[in-house]
Structures are given as structure tokens and as C-alpha cells.
Amino acid sequence: MPRTDIIATMQADIERVLISRRQIAARVGELADQISGRYAQYPEGLVIVSVLAGAMVFLADLIRHLPLRMRIALVGFSSYPGPATEAGDLTCVCPLDIDVERRHVLVVDDILDTGRTLRRVVSDLRRMKPASVRTCVLLRKPGKTEGDFEPDFVGFDIEDVFVVGYGLDYDDQYRNWPDLVVLKPELYGASPAACDRAS
Ligand code: 5GP
Ligand code: MG
């Protein structure tokens, strides 16, 4: 199938663009400025711990705007098995493989929803006795977060809809779409909960 046709079929799945690639690029630059300002005081730099796989596009853009020494480590959890848009149990599928003792750690994730993922990552990290742990999310759904978890850096507050694109997936697809978008409700045929959230 020619490339333009592939793009057209993906385009046809999109109901609306929530945040455009231009808006994302501008905000990532602003976030990077805030983060650089905060960590400039540490000549030894920081460790960025990022959460697979949704944060990978955000991480790739963000780190190229950070004029800081850094190490990067990845952790992975499985919470949305297959074509599901409601989180299941959190299973660690890729443990942290770096020593963060006495280091400044910044956790980077795609989206803060209930907060269970970030809470878990932060509590696992704290046991490793880092000098500090801060968190950065591209997206946050206000009102959804359980407890009083406050990320240190937030790109956008969004409404409670299921978003894909810019690294975020539905059934492991759409991660390569450059904008953050909402899919047409009929695509979530097997998962009625998502229809409610996408409408
Ligand atoms: P939490 O643990 O905060 O409930 O959820 C965090 C993870 O769930 C995110 O890192 C992301 O992978 C996934 N998630 C939450 N909301 C959405 C959404 O609207 N779209 C997609 N694609 N993933 C989401
Ligand atoms: Mg994630």
C-alpha cells in the first residue's frame, strides 16, 4: 500500500486533534527550560528514568532540549493489556537497571491518570536512596489522580478522554502519529468503556 494511503487510513480513524504537533513542540521546549533551570545547580547531572513505552517519543524530544549531563534508564509496566483502555494490574515487565543511590532522579512519563504507575516508580526509586526524585509528565488528567500526587513538571492538563499519538497507543498502535488525538468511538468496539471516555 503506498505511504499516502497508509496515512489516509490512520487519518480516517481520528475523531479530533486534542493537541497538535506544533503545540507539543512549543510546550516541550518550555518544559525543558523549566527542568534545565531546576537541575543546572547539579554539575554531576541527573538520571532520567522513563516509563516504557508511552513516554518514548516525549523522552526523545525532551532530552534533546536539555543541556545537562544525564544518564537514561527505562522501566516498563504492563497495565493496559491488548485492546483495553481501562488499566488492569500493574506488572513490572522491565525493572530498573541502574544505580541511583545519591543521584538526582527525574522520572519522565507520558500521562498521569490515576497516578498508580508514577507512585509505584517513585516508591521503588526512593528505596534506592537517591539524592532527590522529581517527576515530569507530558499530560495530566485533573480529577483522575488518586490521592494527592503532584508531578513537579506538567506539559498539559487535559480532559478525561483516551488519547493516542505522540507515543501513546491504543492496542499498540498509533504511537507514531505526531499529534495527540482522540480516536473515533467505533474503533473501541470491544471496549465500551472507551466509547464513553472518547465521546
Ligand atoms: P496511571 O497509572 O496514572 O493510571 O496511568 C498511567 C499510564 O496509563 C500511562 O503511562 C499510560 O501509559 C496509560 N494511560 C493513561 N491514560 C491514557 C490515555 O488516555 N491514553 C493512553 N494511550 N494511555 C493512557
Ligand atoms: Mg505509560
Side-chain angles (χ1 to χ4, degrees), residues 27-61:
R27 187 69 185 124
V28 168
E30 290 172 358
L31 276 177
D33 289 346
Q34 285 178 27
I35 293 168
S36 307
R38 184 71 67 87
Y39 286 92
Q41 58 184 302
Y42 308 126
E44 73 275 27
L46 71 160
V47 178
I48 292 189
V49 172
S50 194
V51 186
L52 289 167
M56 65 183 180
V57 178
F58 176 42
L59 177 73
D61 282 346

PDB file of all heavy atoms in Angstrom, residues 27-61:
ATOM      1  N   ARG A  27       5.533  23.405  23.837  1.00  0.00           N
ATOM      2  CA  ARG A  27       5.448  23.127  25.276  1.00  0.00           C
ATOM      3  C   ARG A  27       6.637  22.293  25.762  1.00  0.00           C
ATOM      4  O   ARG A  27       7.124  22.495  26.878  1.00  0.00           O
ATOM      5  CB  ARG A  27       4.124  22.396  25.578  1.00  0.00           C
ATOM      6  CG  ARG A  27       3.845  22.212  27.029  1.00  0.00           C
ATOM      7  CD  ARG A  27       3.536  23.529  27.730  1.00  0.00           C
ATOM      8  NE  ARG A  27       3.388  23.337  29.159  1.00  0.00           N
ATOM      9  CZ  ARG A  27       4.090  23.982  30.097  1.00  0.00           C
ATOM     10  NH1 ARG A  27       4.975  24.903  29.760  1.00  0.00           N
ATOM     11  NH2 ARG A  27       3.889  23.721  31.370  1.00  0.00           N
ATOM     12  N   VAL A  28       7.113  21.382  24.921  1.00  0.00           N
ATOM     13  CA  VAL A  28       8.281  20.578  25.308  1.00  0.00           C
ATOM     14  C   VAL A  28       9.488  21.511  25.510  1.00  0.00           C
ATOM     15  O   VAL A  28      10.266  21.345  26.456  1.00  0.00           O
ATOM     16  CB  VAL A  28       8.585  19.480  24.259  1.00  0.00           C
ATOM     17  CG1 VAL A  28       9.945  18.844  24.502  1.00  0.00           C
ATOM     18  CG2 VAL A  28       7.494  18.412  24.288  1.00  0.00           C
ATOM     19  N   GLY A  29       9.609  22.518  24.655  1.00  0.00           N
ATOM     20  CA  GLY A  29      10.689  23.498  24.823  1.00  0.00           C
ATOM     21  C   GLY A  29      10.580  24.236  26.149  1.00  0.00           C
ATOM     22  O   GLY A  29      11.577  24.429  26.863  1.00  0.00           O
ATOM     23  N   GLU A  30       9.355  24.627  26.514  1.00  0.00           N
ATOM     24  CA  GLU A  30       9.152  25.337  27.787  1.00  0.00           C
ATOM     25  C   GLU A  30       9.462  24.430  28.972  1.00  0.00           C
ATOM     26  O   GLU A  30      10.101  24.849  29.948  1.00  0.00           O
ATOM     27  CB  GLU A  30       7.699  25.821  27.888  1.00  0.00           C
ATOM     28  CG  GLU A  30       7.357  26.938  26.932  1.00  0.00           C
ATOM     29  CD  GLU A  30       5.856  27.274  26.910  1.00  0.00           C
ATOM     30  OE1 GLU A  30       5.073  26.602  27.630  1.00  0.00           O
ATOM     31  OE2 GLU A  30       5.486  28.178  26.162  1.00  0.00           O
ATOM     32  N   LEU A  31       9.001  23.177  28.890  1.00  0.00           N
ATOM     33  CA  LEU A  31       9.276  22.225  29.979  1.00  0.00           C
ATOM     34  C   LEU A  31      10.774  22.029  30.149  1.00  0.00           C
ATOM     35  O   LEU A  31      11.291  21.967  31.272  1.00  0.00           O
ATOM     36  CB  LEU A  31       8.643  20.868  29.671  1.00  0.00           C
ATOM     37  CG  LEU A  31       7.180  20.653  30.004  1.00  0.00           C
ATOM     38  CD1 LEU A  31       6.759  19.263  29.548  1.00  0.00           C
ATOM     39  CD2 LEU A  31       6.925  20.822  31.494  1.00  0.00           C
ATOM     40  N   ALA A  32      11.469  21.916  29.007  1.00  0.00           N
ATOM     41  CA  ALA A  32      12.921  21.706  29.055  1.00  0.00           C
ATOM     42  C   ALA A  32      13.594  22.891  29.736  1.00  0.00           C
ATOM     43  O   ALA A  32      14.540  22.712  30.516  1.00  0.00           O
ATOM     44  CB  ALA A  32      13.464  21.496  27.650  1.00  0.00           C
ATOM     45  N   ASP A  33      13.115  24.104  29.466  1.00  0.00           N
ATOM     46  CA  ASP A  33      13.689  25.284  30.131  1.00  0.00           C
ATOM     47  C   ASP A  33      13.486  25.204  31.642  1.00  0.00           C
ATOM     48  O   ASP A  33      14.393  25.484  32.425  1.00  0.00           O
ATOM     49  CB  ASP A  33      13.052  26.574  29.592  1.00  0.00           C
ATOM     50  CG  ASP A  33      13.502  26.881  28.173  1.00  0.00           C
ATOM     51  OD1 ASP A  33      14.480  26.258  27.717  1.00  0.00           O
ATOM     52  OD2 ASP A  33      12.855  27.730  27.530  1.00  0.00           O
ATOM     53  N   GLN A  34      12.280  24.821  32.047  1.00  0.00           N
ATOM     54  CA  GLN A  34      12.000  24.704  33.494  1.00  0.00           C
ATOM     55  C   GLN A  34      12.907  23.649  34.127  1.00  0.00           C
ATOM     56  O   GLN A  34      13.482  23.860  35.200  1.00  0.00           O
ATOM     57  CB  GLN A  34      10.557  24.248  33.721  1.00  0.00           C
ATOM     58  CG  GLN A  34       9.503  25.300  33.503  1.00  0.00           C
ATOM     59  CD  GLN A  34       8.096  24.698  33.705  1.00  0.00           C
ATOM     60  OE1 GLN A  34       7.906  23.732  34.440  1.00  0.00           O
ATOM     61  NE2 GLN A  34       7.124  25.264  33.030  1.00  0.00           N
ATOM     62  N   ILE A  35      13.024  22.516  33.455  1.00  0.00           N
ATOM     63  CA  ILE A  35      13.819  21.417  34.016  1.00  0.00           C
ATOM     64  C   ILE A  35      15.295  21.807  34.065  1.00  0.00           C
ATOM     65  O   ILE A  35      15.977  21.583  35.082  1.00  0.00           O
ATOM     66  CB  ILE A  35      13.604  20.126  33.187  1.00  0.00           C
ATOM     67  CG1 ILE A  35      12.162  19.641  33.358  1.00  0.00           C
ATOM     68  CG2 ILE A  35      14.595  19.037  33.586  1.00  0.00           C
ATOM     69  CD1 ILE A  35      11.744  18.563  32.369  1.00  0.00           C
ATOM     70  N   SER A  36      15.782  22.425  33.000  1.00  0.00           N
ATOM     71  CA  SER A  36      17.195  22.836  32.977  1.00  0.00           C
ATOM     72  C   SER A  36      17.477  23.806  34.115  1.00  0.00           C
ATOM     73  O   SER A  36      18.512  23.725  34.777  1.00  0.00           O
ATOM     74  CB  SER A  36      17.544  23.534  31.667  1.00  0.00           C
ATOM     75  OG  SER A  36      17.176  22.754  30.595  1.00  0.00           O
ATOM     76  N   GLY A  37      16.539  24.747  34.325  1.00  0.00           N
ATOM     77  CA  GLY A  37      16.703  25.722  35.406  1.00  0.00           C
ATOM     78  C   GLY A  37      16.827  25.030  36.750  1.00  0.00           C
ATOM     79  O   GLY A  37      17.655  25.399  37.587  1.00  0.00           O
ATOM     80  N   ARG A  38      16.010  23.992  36.952  1.00  0.00           N
ATOM     81  CA  ARG A  38      15.995  23.297  38.239  1.00  0.00           C
ATOM     82  C   ARG A  38      17.259  22.469  38.463  1.00  0.00           C
ATOM     83  O   ARG A  38      17.766  22.381  39.588  1.00  0.00           O
ATOM     84  CB  ARG A  38      14.760  22.399  38.300  1.00  0.00           C
ATOM     85  CG  ARG A  38      14.543  21.677  39.605  1.00  0.00           C
ATOM     86  CD  ARG A  38      14.116  22.616  40.729  1.00  0.00           C
ATOM     87  NE  ARG A  38      12.796  23.166  40.473  1.00  0.00           N
ATOM     88  CZ  ARG A  38      11.657  22.577  40.820  1.00  0.00           C
ATOM     89  NH1 ARG A  38      11.672  21.424  41.447  1.00  0.00           N
ATOM     90  NH2 ARG A  38      10.505  23.144  40.555  1.00  0.00           N
ATOM     91  N   TYR A  39      17.801  21.871  37.402  1.00  0.00           N
ATOM     92  CA  TYR A  39      18.927  20.945  37.580  1.00  0.00           C
ATOM     93  C   TYR A  39      20.283  21.562  37.270  1.00  0.00           C
ATOM     94  O   TYR A  39      21.311  20.917  37.458  1.00  0.00           O
ATOM     95  CB  TYR A  39      18.722  19.695  36.717  1.00  0.00           C
ATOM     96  CG  TYR A  39      17.673  18.764  37.278  1.00  0.00           C
ATOM     97  CD1 TYR A  39      16.346  18.872  36.888  1.00  0.00           C
ATOM     98  CD2 TYR A  39      18.005  17.806  38.230  1.00  0.00           C
ATOM     99  CE1 TYR A  39      15.370  18.040  37.406  1.00  0.00           C
ATOM    100  CE2 TYR A  39      17.042  16.968  38.762  1.00  0.00           C
ATOM    101  CZ  TYR A  39      15.718  17.092  38.350  1.00  0.00           C
ATOM    102  OH  TYR A  39      14.765  16.272  38.885  1.00  0.00           O
ATOM    103  N   ALA A  40      20.298  22.827  36.826  1.00  0.00           N
ATOM    104  CA  ALA A  40      21.566  23.468  36.453  1.00  0.00           C
ATOM    105  C   ALA A  40      22.528  23.514  37.646  1.00  0.00           C
ATOM    106  O   ALA A  40      23.748  23.551  37.463  1.00  0.00           O
ATOM    107  CB  ALA A  40      21.301  24.867  35.926  1.00  0.00           C
ATOM    108  N   GLN A  41      21.958  23.509  38.847  1.00  0.00           N
ATOM    109  CA  GLN A  41      22.787  23.607  40.067  1.00  0.00           C
ATOM    110  C   GLN A  41      23.571  22.323  40.359  1.00  0.00           C
ATOM    111  O   GLN A  41      24.417  22.316  41.249  1.00  0.00           O
ATOM    112  CB  GLN A  41      21.887  23.939  41.255  1.00  0.00           C
ATOM    113  CG  GLN A  41      20.802  22.906  41.453  1.00  0.00           C
ATOM    114  CD  GLN A  41      19.830  23.273  42.563  1.00  0.00           C
ATOM    115  OE1 GLN A  41      20.225  23.472  43.694  1.00  0.00           O
ATOM    116  NE2 GLN A  41      18.541  23.350  42.216  1.00  0.00           N
ATOM    117  N   TYR A  42      23.267  21.237  39.631  1.00  0.00           N
ATOM    118  CA  TYR A  42      23.954  19.971  39.902  1.00  0.00           C
ATOM    119  C   TYR A  42      24.939  19.674  38.773  1.00  0.00           C
ATOM    120  O   TYR A  42      24.546  19.122  37.736  1.00  0.00           O
ATOM    121  CB  TYR A  42      22.967  18.814  39.992  1.00  0.00           C
ATOM    122  CG  TYR A  42      21.817  19.026  40.937  1.00  0.00           C
ATOM    123  CD1 TYR A  42      20.499  18.879  40.511  1.00  0.00           C
ATOM    124  CD2 TYR A  42      22.036  19.378  42.274  1.00  0.00           C
ATOM    125  CE1 TYR A  42      19.437  19.066  41.374  1.00  0.00           C
ATOM    126  CE2 TYR A  42      20.980  19.568  43.141  1.00  0.00           C
ATOM    127  CZ  TYR A  42      19.682  19.413  42.679  1.00  0.00           C
ATOM    128  OH  TYR A  42      18.632  19.600  43.541  1.00  0.00           O
ATOM    129  N   PRO A  43      26.224  19.997  38.957  1.00  0.00           N
ATOM    130  CA  PRO A  43      27.173  19.750  37.869  1.00  0.00           C
ATOM    131  C   PRO A  43      27.302  18.274  37.527  1.00  0.00           C
ATOM    132  O   PRO A  43      27.662  17.921  36.398  1.00  0.00           O
ATOM    133  CB  PRO A  43      28.503  20.305  38.414  1.00  0.00           C
ATOM    134  CG  PRO A  43      28.298  20.546  39.862  1.00  0.00           C
ATOM    135  CD  PRO A  43      26.838  20.614  40.134  1.00  0.00           C
ATOM    136  N   GLU A  44      26.978  17.410  38.483  1.00  0.00           N
ATOM    137  CA  GLU A  44      27.071  15.966  38.220  1.00  0.00           C
ATOM    138  C   GLU A  44      25.916  15.463  37.355  1.00  0.00           C
ATOM    139  O   GLU A  44      25.927  14.319  36.898  1.00  0.00           O
ATOM    140  CB  GLU A  44      27.134  15.186  39.536  1.00  0.00           C
ATOM    141  CG  GLU A  44      25.839  15.109  40.323  1.00  0.00           C
ATOM    142  CD  GLU A  44      25.596  16.314  41.241  1.00  0.00           C
ATOM    143  OE1 GLU A  44      26.099  17.427  40.950  1.00  0.00           O
ATOM    144  OE2 GLU A  44      24.878  16.136  42.246  1.00  0.00           O
ATOM    145  N   GLY A  45      24.931  16.319  37.134  1.00  0.00           N
ATOM    146  CA  GLY A  45      23.835  15.943  36.251  1.00  0.00           C
ATOM    147  C   GLY A  45      22.761  15.121  36.946  1.00  0.00           C
ATOM    148  O   GLY A  45      22.631  15.167  38.161  1.00  0.00           O
ATOM    149  N   LEU A  46      22.004  14.382  36.168  1.00  0.00           N
ATOM    150  CA  LEU A  46      20.863  13.665  36.714  1.00  0.00           C
ATOM    151  C   LEU A  46      20.705  12.302  36.031  1.00  0.00           C
ATOM    152  O   LEU A  46      21.378  12.019  35.042  1.00  0.00           O
ATOM    153  CB  LEU A  46      19.581  14.484  36.545  1.00  0.00           C
ATOM    154  CG  LEU A  46      18.989  14.650  35.146  1.00  0.00           C
ATOM    155  CD1 LEU A  46      17.530  15.052  35.256  1.00  0.00           C
ATOM    156  CD2 LEU A  46      19.726  15.701  34.337  1.00  0.00           C
ATOM    157  N   VAL A  47      19.835  11.504  36.627  1.00  0.00           N
ATOM    158  CA  VAL A  47      19.428  10.250  35.980  1.00  0.00           C
ATOM    159  C   VAL A  47      17.972  10.415  35.578  1.00  0.00           C
ATOM    160  O   VAL A  47      17.122  10.733  36.422  1.00  0.00           O
ATOM    161  CB  VAL A  47      19.555   9.042  36.929  1.00  0.00           C
ATOM    162  CG1 VAL A  47      19.064   7.771  36.232  1.00  0.00           C
ATOM    163  CG2 VAL A  47      20.986   8.870  37.404  1.00  0.00           C
ATOM    164  N   ILE A  48      17.703  10.243  34.319  1.00  0.00           N
ATOM    165  CA  ILE A  48      16.321  10.256  33.863  1.00  0.00           C
ATOM    166  C   ILE A  48      15.822   8.822  33.811  1.00  0.00           C
ATOM    167  O   ILE A  48      16.446   7.966  33.180  1.00  0.00           O
ATOM    168  CB  ILE A  48      16.189  10.928  32.485  1.00  0.00           C
ATOM    169  CG1 ILE A  48      16.500  12.421  32.623  1.00  0.00           C
ATOM    170  CG2 ILE A  48      14.791  10.708  31.909  1.00  0.00           C
ATOM    171  CD1 ILE A  48      16.216  13.245  31.398  1.00  0.00           C
ATOM    172  N   VAL A  49      14.732   8.572  34.527  1.00  0.00           N
ATOM    173  CA  VAL A  49      14.101   7.252  34.489  1.00  0.00           C
ATOM    174  C   VAL A  49      12.785   7.423  33.750  1.00  0.00           C
ATOM    175  O   VAL A  49      11.928   8.206  34.165  1.00  0.00           O
ATOM    176  CB  VAL A  49      13.864   6.719  35.919  1.00  0.00           C
ATOM    177  CG1 VAL A  49      13.031   5.445  35.872  1.00  0.00           C
ATOM    178  CG2 VAL A  49      15.189   6.468  36.622  1.00  0.00           C
ATOM    179  N   SER A  50      12.650   6.735  32.653  1.00  0.00           N
ATOM    180  CA  SER A  50      11.451   6.922  31.860  1.00  0.00           C
ATOM    181  C   SER A  50      10.668   5.622  31.756  1.00  0.00           C
ATOM    182  O   SER A  50      11.235   4.540  31.858  1.00  0.00           O
ATOM    183  CB  SER A  50      11.808   7.448  30.471  1.00  0.00           C
ATOM    184  OG  SER A  50      10.654   7.919  29.835  1.00  0.00           O
ATOM    185  N   VAL A  51       9.388   5.773  31.548  1.00  0.00           N
ATOM    186  CA  VAL A  51       8.491   4.627  31.604  1.00  0.00           C
ATOM    187  C   VAL A  51       8.106   4.211  30.178  1.00  0.00           C
ATOM    188  O   VAL A  51       7.558   4.996  29.415  1.00  0.00           O
ATOM    189  CB  VAL A  51       7.229   4.972  32.433  1.00  0.00           C
ATOM    190  CG1 VAL A  51       6.368   3.735  32.621  1.00  0.00           C
ATOM    191  CG2 VAL A  51       7.610   5.580  33.783  1.00  0.00           C
ATOM    192  N   LEU A  52       8.437   2.953  29.876  1.00  0.00           N
ATOM    193  CA  LEU A  52       8.119   2.393  28.555  1.00  0.00           C
ATOM    194  C   LEU A  52       6.623   2.140  28.448  1.00  0.00           C
ATOM    195  O   LEU A  52       5.987   1.835  29.442  1.00  0.00           O
ATOM    196  CB  LEU A  52       8.856   1.055  28.374  1.00  0.00           C
ATOM    197  CG  LEU A  52      10.363   1.150  28.187  1.00  0.00           C
ATOM    198  CD1 LEU A  52      10.977  -0.249  28.356  1.00  0.00           C
ATOM    199  CD2 LEU A  52      10.703   1.714  26.838  1.00  0.00           C
ATOM    200  N   ALA A  53       6.039   2.090  27.283  1.00  0.00           N
ATOM    201  CA  ALA A  53       6.641   2.553  26.059  1.00  0.00           C
ATOM    202  C   ALA A  53       6.076   3.930  25.695  1.00  0.00           C
ATOM    203  O   ALA A  53       6.578   4.596  24.818  1.00  0.00           O
ATOM    204  CB  ALA A  53       6.339   1.571  24.926  1.00  0.00           C
ATOM    205  N   GLY A  54       5.025   4.321  26.426  1.00  0.00           N
ATOM    206  CA  GLY A  54       4.293   5.531  26.051  1.00  0.00           C
ATOM    207  C   GLY A  54       5.110   6.804  26.085  1.00  0.00           C
ATOM    208  O   GLY A  54       4.838   7.753  25.353  1.00  0.00           O
ATOM    209  N   ALA A  55       6.139   6.840  26.954  1.00  0.00           N
ATOM    210  CA  ALA A  55       6.902   8.088  27.122  1.00  0.00           C
ATOM    211  C   ALA A  55       8.044   8.222  26.124  1.00  0.00           C
ATOM    212  O   ALA A  55       8.754   9.229  26.125  1.00  0.00           O
ATOM    213  CB  ALA A  55       7.439   8.166  28.554  1.00  0.00           C
ATOM    214  N   MET A  56       8.239   7.225  25.243  1.00  0.00           N
ATOM    215  CA  MET A  56       9.472   7.218  24.448  1.00  0.00           C
ATOM    216  C   MET A  56       9.582   8.399  23.482  1.00  0.00           C
ATOM    217  O   MET A  56      10.671   8.950  23.292  1.00  0.00           O
ATOM    218  CB  MET A  56       9.634   5.894  23.706  1.00  0.00           C
ATOM    219  CG  MET A  56       8.580   5.651  22.660  1.00  0.00           C
ATOM    220  SD  MET A  56       8.794   4.033  21.880  1.00  0.00           S
ATOM    221  CE  MET A  56       7.414   4.072  20.741  1.00  0.00           C
ATOM    222  N   VAL A  57       8.487   8.817  22.894  1.00  0.00           N
ATOM    223  CA  VAL A  57       8.559   9.931  21.937  1.00  0.00           C
ATOM    224  C   VAL A  57       8.795  11.245  22.689  1.00  0.00           C
ATOM    225  O   VAL A  57       9.641  12.054  22.308  1.00  0.00           O
ATOM    226  CB  VAL A  57       7.278   9.999  21.075  1.00  0.00           C
ATOM    227  CG1 VAL A  57       7.332  11.186  20.124  1.00  0.00           C
ATOM    228  CG2 VAL A  57       7.095   8.708  20.295  1.00  0.00           C
ATOM    229  N   PHE A  58       8.063  11.426  23.762  1.00  0.00           N
ATOM    230  CA  PHE A  58       8.252  12.603  24.614  1.00  0.00           C
ATOM    231  C   PHE A  58       9.680  12.654  25.135  1.00  0.00           C
ATOM    232  O   PHE A  58      10.352  13.697  25.074  1.00  0.00           O
ATOM    233  CB  PHE A  58       7.235  12.531  25.763  1.00  0.00           C
ATOM    234  CG  PHE A  58       7.351  13.607  26.802  1.00  0.00           C
ATOM    235  CD1 PHE A  58       7.585  14.933  26.457  1.00  0.00           C
ATOM    236  CD2 PHE A  58       7.211  13.291  28.153  1.00  0.00           C
ATOM    237  CE1 PHE A  58       7.678  15.926  27.434  1.00  0.00           C
ATOM    238  CE2 PHE A  58       7.292  14.271  29.136  1.00  0.00           C
ATOM    239  CZ  PHE A  58       7.531  15.590  28.774  1.00  0.00           C
ATOM    240  N   LEU A  59      10.179  11.523  25.636  1.00  0.00           N
ATOM    241  CA  LEU A  59      11.542  11.457  26.160  1.00  0.00           C
ATOM    242  C   LEU A  59      12.554  11.864  25.085  1.00  0.00           C
ATOM    243  O   LEU A  59      13.463  12.665  25.342  1.00  0.00           O
ATOM    244  CB  LEU A  59      11.835  10.038  26.646  1.00  0.00           C
ATOM    245  CG  LEU A  59      13.249   9.786  27.152  1.00  0.00           C
ATOM    246  CD1 LEU A  59      13.453  10.459  28.508  1.00  0.00           C
ATOM    247  CD2 LEU A  59      13.538   8.287  27.259  1.00  0.00           C
ATOM    248  N   ALA A  60      12.385  11.324  23.887  1.00  0.00           N
ATOM    249  CA  ALA A  60      13.336  11.598  22.802  1.00  0.00           C
ATOM    250  C   ALA A  60      13.373  13.090  22.478  1.00  0.00           C
ATOM    251  O   ALA A  60      14.450  13.657  22.249  1.00  0.00           O
ATOM    252  CB  ALA A  60      12.959  10.794  21.562  1.00  0.00           C
ATOM    253  N   ASP A  61      12.222  13.727  22.468  1.00  0.00           N
ATOM    254  CA  ASP A  61      12.189  15.168  22.185  1.00  0.00           C
ATOM    255  C   ASP A  61      12.749  15.967  23.359  1.00  0.00           C
ATOM    256  O   ASP A  61      13.535  16.895  23.176  1.00  0.00           O
ATOM    257  CB  ASP A  61      10.753  15.627  21.890  1.00  0.00           C
ATOM    258  CG  ASP A  61      10.324  15.268  20.469  1.00  0.00           C
ATOM    259  OD1 ASP A  61      11.200  14.911  19.648  1.00  0.00           O
ATOM    260  OD2 ASP A  61       9.118  15.354  20.190  1.00  0.00           O
TER     261      ASP A  61
END
